[in-house]
Amino acid sequence: MIRELGAQAGDAVLDPDFIVQWFHSLATIFLEEARRLVAVPNWPSLPVETLLTLRRIKNALNTLSFISESGVALRHPELNDWLRLRSRLP
């Protein structure tokens, strides 16, 4: 809806900051740790819970990528590094 109707601060559905907060609640590991984990040569051998956490983060990043043109990354520049890592996540 944000892509279709545009971002509207304070709106329960159209405020991208709510999605950013949701992402941060799912990103239970630090970006540096995620980078380290995906750089492991045999990352599929990581514990299942770690892989699931990385997958949840990737799914949330997919949602964020859809609204990136709303300027959300300008207000939250830390998301740019996460979005660049997205394709390497399981």
Side-chain angles (χ1 to χ4, degrees):
M1 289 185 70
I2 292 171
R3 282 180 30 186
E4 296 296 319
L5 302 175
Q8 294 182 18
D11 186 275
V13 175
L14 300 175
D15 189 341
D17 288 334
F18 290 129
I19 297 173
V20 172
Q21 291 171 5
W22 167 72
F23 169 75
H24 285 299
S25 73
L26 290 176
T28 57
I29 60 175
F30 292 109
L31 175 63
E32 294 77 23
E33 178 69 4
R35 282 186 182 138
R36 187 189 67 74
L37 290 169
V38 298
V40 170
N42 191 17
W43 62 262
S45 67
L46 293 171
V48 172
E49 192 55 44
T50 301
L51 292 171
L52 287 172
T53 298
L54 292 172
R55 185 59 184 186
R56 282 186 206 106
I57 291 170
K58 183 177 185 172
N59 289 338
L61 287 168
N62 289 338
T63 301
L64 281 172
S65 72
F66 286 122
I67 63 165
S68 61
E69 66 271 2
S70 72
V72 69
L74 293 174
R75 289 187 309 282
H76 302 279
E78 75 280 1
L79 295 177
N80 290 321
D81 291 332
W82 276 110
L83 288 166
R84 282 192 287 277
L85 185 64
R86 178 175 59 131
S87 64
R88 296 176 41 213
L89 294 169

